[in-house]
C-alpha cells in the first residue's frame, strides 16, 4: 500500500514555508540605495514604506551657517531612516506640534519619503511647510503621507532653515558669497531638496520627471518663488499654492525684498545681537540667535516678517515682474485661499518691528470709514460700496476680510491671474469655505484650515468631524492627487473643475455641500490691484 500521507504533508509543508518566506520578506524593513549611501526605513501601520530623516544636504553649522547648502556627506553601511530628523532651530509657536522623536538644532536639513514600492515610476508630490518662514517643520501629524500614497503618489516632506538662520541678509554675507547674494538660505535649502529628489527619487519608486511642489502660507510663497526662480527650472512640472504668494498687495508690504533692504535689516540685527562681525554672529549658539530675533529690541523676525530676497541669484527680480513678463518656469498651477484668512492675521499684536494690521481698530462703522479714507484716499467711496459696514458686526467682518484679501487673497489671485494671462499652462483656482468643528480652528475656515482636508488627514486630528468634512477631504485630496499625476485635477466621480481664465474667472469652492463651481468675485481684488500705492494693511516692517 502506498503511503500518500508523507508526500502530501511534504507538499503542504513546502507551500507553508514558501508563504512564510514571502511574508517575512514583506515584513522586512525596506532598504534603498541613494547617492550618499544605503538607507533602511520602516513599514507603517498601513503597510506604506516610510523613510524619515534623510539628509539631503550637509549640516549648516559652524562655518556653513548662512551659506548655500552643501552636499550631504556619504556614509558607509546602512543608515537608519526610521525616525524624523531634528527640526530647524526656531522659537516656540503654538500652532505647530511635532510628532516623532526629533529634537531641534541647526542640523536639520532632512527630508522624508512615503512610497508603496520602489519598482514603479509614480508621480511625486513634495510638501513645503508654512510658518511665516520663521517656524514650522515636516513632522506634524496632519502632514502624514499615507493618503497620497494610497492615491498613487510618492510623497516627500522636508525641513528648511527658517527665521534668522534661514533668511538673514548682511553686507558681509553678500561680500563672502561667490554669487554676491545673501538672505535666501531657506529657499536654497528647498532648491537643494528638489535637486536631491531629481537624483534619488527613482530609488523609492518615484518619477523624477513628474514632480509637483505643494505648500501652504509661507510654503505657498515658496512655491511661487521657486516657480519664478531660474535656478529651479526643470525640477518640477506643477505647483500647488494654498493661501500665499511672493507677490504683494501694496508697494511697502511685498513678500520679497530688495537685497539692500534686507542687508540693512541684517545690520540692525547684528547691533541688537551685540556682535561686531559676522564671525561673532557665527560663533553664537543658535538658540541665542533665535532668542534675540524673537524678543525685545530684536523682535524683527516675528511670524510673517521674513521675506525672500531679490538677490540677483535665486531671484533675479521681483516675482511679480517675472510672472507679468511670462518668464517664469512653465508649470501647471492650483492656487487658492480660505474664507476667513484675516481672522489669523488680526491676532498679530504690536511689538517692535512686527506687522500689526491697521484694520485691527477699524471695527465700528465710523472707524471702518476712517481707515478706508486713510488707506485709499479718493478711492475710499468705491471701496466702501463693496464692503458692508453699517453695523459693528458688518464692520468687524469687513475688517477681517479686508486683511485677508490684502495679506493672502490678493497676492494669491494675482499670481494665478498673471500666470493664466502669460503662460501656456493650465491654472485652477479654489476657495475653501467649509466651516470646521468648533473645537478646532474655532469653527472658522481661517488660515491653514484646509490643510488636513487637502491631505485627507482628518483622522490625525482628534475632534468631531462630520460626514460633510470627510466628503470635502476626499474630494479635495483626490483633486490634488489627480493634478499631481497629470496636471488636470478632474477625474471620475468628481464635479468638473474648470480652468481659471481672466475672461472666465471660475473657481472650485469647497463648502458645506462639497465641491461646487462658482464665478470668482474679482471686483474687490481688482480694486486692490488698481490701488497698489495705497497705505499698508499693516505697519511697515522696519
Amino acid at each position: 500500500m502506498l503511503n500518500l500521507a508523507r508526500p502530501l504533508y511534504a507538499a503542504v509543508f513546502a507551500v507553508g514555508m514558501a508563504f512564510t518566506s514571502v511574508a517575512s520578506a514583506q515584513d522586512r524593513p525596506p532598504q534603498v540605495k541613494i547617492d550618499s549611501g544605503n538607507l533602511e526605513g520602516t513599514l507603517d501601520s498601513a503597510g506604506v514604506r516610510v523613510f524619515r530623516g534623510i539628509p539631503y544636504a550637509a549640516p549648516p553649522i559652524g562655518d556653513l551657517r548662512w551659506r548655500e547648502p552643501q552636499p550631504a556627506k556619504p556614509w558607509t553601511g546602512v543608515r537608519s531612516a526610521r525616525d524624523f530628523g531634528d527640526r530647524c532651530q526656531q522659537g516656540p509657536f503654538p500652532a505647530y506640534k511635532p510628532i516623532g522623536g526629533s529634537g531641534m538644532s541647526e542640523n536639520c536639513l532632512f527630508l522624508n519619503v512615503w512610497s508603496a514600492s520602489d519598482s514603479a515610476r509614480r508621480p511625486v508630490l513634495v510638501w513645503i511647510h508654512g510658518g511665516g518662514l520663521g517656524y514650522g517643520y515636516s513632522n506634524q501629524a496632519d502632514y502624514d503621507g499615507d493618503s497620497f500614497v494610497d492615491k498613487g503618489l510618492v510623497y516627500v516632506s522636508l525641513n528648511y532653515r527658517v527665521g534668522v538662520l534661514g533668511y538673514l541678509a548682511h553686507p558681509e554675507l553678500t561680500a563672502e558669497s561667490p554669487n554676491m547674494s545673501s538672505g535666501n538660505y531657506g529657499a536654497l535649502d528647498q532648491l537643494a531638496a528638489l535637486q536631491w529628489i531629481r537624483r534619488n527619487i527613482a530609488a523609492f519608486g518615484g518619477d523624477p520627471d513628474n514632480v509637483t511642489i505643494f505648500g501652504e502660507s509661507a510654503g505657498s510663497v515658496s512655491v511661487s518663488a521657486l516657480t519664478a526662480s531660474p535656478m529651479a527650472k526643470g525640477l518640477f512640472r506643477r505647483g500647488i499654492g494654498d493661501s500665499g504668494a511672493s507677490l504683494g498687495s501694496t508697494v511697502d508690504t511685498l513678500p520679497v525684498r530688495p537685497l539692500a533692504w534686507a542687508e540693512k535689516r541684517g545690520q540692525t540685527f547684528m547691533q541688537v545681537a551685540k556682535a561686531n562681525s559676522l564671525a561673532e554672529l557665527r560663533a553664537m549658539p543658535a538658540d541665542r540667535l533665535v532668542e534675540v530675533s524673537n524678543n525685545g529690541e530684536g523682535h524683527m523676525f516675528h511670524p510673517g516678517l521674513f521675506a525672500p530676497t531679490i538677490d540677483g541669484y535665486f531671484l533675479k527680480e521681483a516675482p511679480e515682474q517675472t510672472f507679468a513678463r511670462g518668464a517664469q518656469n512653465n508649470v501647471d498651477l492650483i492656487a487658492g485661499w480660505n474664507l476667513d484668512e484675516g481672522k489669523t492675521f488680526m491676532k498679530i499684536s504690536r511689538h517692535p518691528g512686527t506687522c500689526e494690521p491697521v484694520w485691527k481698530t477699524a471695527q465700528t462703522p465710523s472707524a471702518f470709514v476712517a481707515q478706508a479714507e486713510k488707506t485709499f484716499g479718493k478711492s475710499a467711496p468705491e471701496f466702501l460700496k463693496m464692503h458692508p459696514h453699517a453695523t459693528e458686526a458688518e464692520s468687524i467682518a469687513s475688517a477681517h476680510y479686508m486683511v485677508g484679501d490684502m495679506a493672502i487673497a490678493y497676492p494669491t489671485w494675482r499670481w494665478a491671474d498673471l500666470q493664466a494671462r502669460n503662460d501656456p499652462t493650465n491654472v485652477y483656482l479654489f476657495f475653501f469655505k467649509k466651516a470646521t468643528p468648533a473645537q478646532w480652528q474655532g469653527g472658522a475656515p481661517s488660515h491653514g484650515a484646509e490643510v488636513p482636508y487637502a491631505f485627507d488627514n482628518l483622522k490625525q486630528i482628534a475632534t468631531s468631524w462630520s460626514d460633510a468634512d470627510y466628503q470635502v477631504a476626499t474630494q479635495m485630496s483626490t483633486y490634488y492627487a489627480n493634478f499631481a499625476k497629470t496636471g488636470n485635477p478632474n477625474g471620475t466621480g468628481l464635479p468638473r473643475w474648470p480652468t481659471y481664465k481672466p475672461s472666465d474667472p471660475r473657481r472650485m469652492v469647497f463648502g458645506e455641500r462639497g465641491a461646487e463651481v462658482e464665478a470668482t468675485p474679482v471686483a474687490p481684488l481688482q480694486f486692490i490691484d488698481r490701488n497698489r500705492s495705497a497705505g499698508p494693511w499693516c505697519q511697515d516692517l522696519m
Side-chain angles (χ1 to χ4, degrees), residues 132-181:
L133 301 181
Y135 300 88
Y137 30 80
S138 60
N139 54 313
Q140 282 193 227
D142 50 340
Y143 299 165
D144 182 86
D146 277 10
S147 175
F148 284 127
V149 171
D150 288 344
K151 293 177 175 67
L153 306 178
V154 172
Y155 168 76
V156 181
S157 64
L158 61 102
N159 293 342
Y160 58 94
R161 282 173 284 182
V162 294
V164 67
L165 293 163
Y167 291 90
L168 180 74
H170 192 278
E172 284 190 57
L173 287 168
T174 303
E176 74 173 18
S177 165
N179 306 299
M180 294 302 293
S181 68

Side-chain angles (χ1 to χ4, degrees), residues 326-508:
Q328 72 276 4
N329 300 315
N330 290 330
V331 298
D332 296 311
L333 174 66
I334 286 178
W337 58 92
N338 299 350
L339 172 66
D340 198 359
E341 298 281 2
K343 179 180 179 180
T344 299
F345 295 91
M346 277 291 202
K347 295 178 181 178
I348 300 175
S349 59
R350 185 66 181 158
H351 295 282
T354 62
C355 185
E356 184 176 40
V358 298
W359 296 85
K360 199 168 186 177
T361 58
Q363 299 191 31
T364 65
S366 59
F368 190 85
V369 170
Q371 185 58 57
E373 292 173 344
K374 183 177 180 181
T375 298
F376 297 112
K378 294 180 180 179
S379 298
E382 180 184 358
F383 168 83
L384 291 168
K385 286 181 181 179
M386 291 187 287
H387 295 81
H389 59 280
T391 66
E392 183 171 325
E394 287 183 345
S395 299
I396 291 172
S398 290
H400 274 219
Y401 293 145
M402 187 57 201
V403 170
D405 281 356
M406 296 192 81
I408 298 296
Y410 172 80
T412 310
W413 167 78
R414 179 69 169 159
W415 173 22
D417 191 72
L418 282 176
Q419 187 153 327
R421 292 176 186 274
N422 302 310
D423 194 307
T425 55
N426 292 323
V427 174
Y428 299 88
L429 201 66
F430 79 84
F431 183 63
F432 183 87
K433 66 175 186 179
K434 174 71 183 69
T436 61
Q439 309 95 308
W440 184 74
Q441 294 270 358
S446 56
H447 191 61
E450 87 295 346
V451 171
Y453 294 84
F455 275 78
D456 199 6
N457 272 342
L458 301 187
K459 62 183 180 296
Q460 300 286 355
I461 298 172
T463 191
S464 54
W465 302 105
S466 68
D467 290 343
D469 289 314
Y470 285 109
Q471 178 190 15
V472 169
T474 298
Q475 289 178 323
M476 194 171 188
S477 64
T478 303
Y479 279 125
Y480 278 22
N482 290 344
F483 178 78
K485 293 173 186 176
T486 67
N488 186 334
N490 293 295
T492 303
L494 293 171
R496 184 180 174 277
W497 189 341
T499 56
Y500 172 90
K501 300 181 185 302
S503 60
D504 183 20
R506 287 181 293 166
R507 65 184 180 182
M508 184 60 74

Side-chain angles (χ1 to χ4, degrees), residues 57-139:
I61 59 178
D63 191 52
L64 294 184
R65 180 187 285 174
W66 298 309
R67 291 190 191 274
E68 190 167 351
Q70 300 300 305
K73 184 178 179 181
W75 58 84
T76 58
V78 179
R79 178 188 176 104
S80 174
R82 300 178 62 88
D83 299 317
F84 289 106
D86 280 359
R87 294 164 279 142
C88 289
Q89 198 79 39
Q90 58 195 269
F93 196 52
Y96 295 100
K97 297 179 180 179
I99 58 172
S102 67
M104 186 165 59
S105 73
E106 282 187 275
N107 180 13
C108 63
L109 300 187
F110 301 102
L111 55 74
N112 319 289
V113 181
W114 280 252
S115 177
S117 167
D118 61 1
S119 60
R121 288 172 67 88
R122 290 178 169 83
V124 181
L125 182 65
V126 182
W127 170 247
I128 303 174
H129 68 73
L133 301 181
Y135 300 88
Y137 30 80
S138 60
N139 54 313

Side-chain angles (χ1 to χ4, degrees), residues 179-204:
N179 306 299
M180 294 302 293
S181 68
S182 65
N184 281 330
Y185 307 104
L188 293 172
D189 292 343
Q190 297 164 7
L191 190 68
L194 291 174
Q195 292 166 339
W196 183 97
I197 290 166
R198 181 75 180 172
R199 299 191 310 270
N200 291 292
I201 203 63
F204 300 87

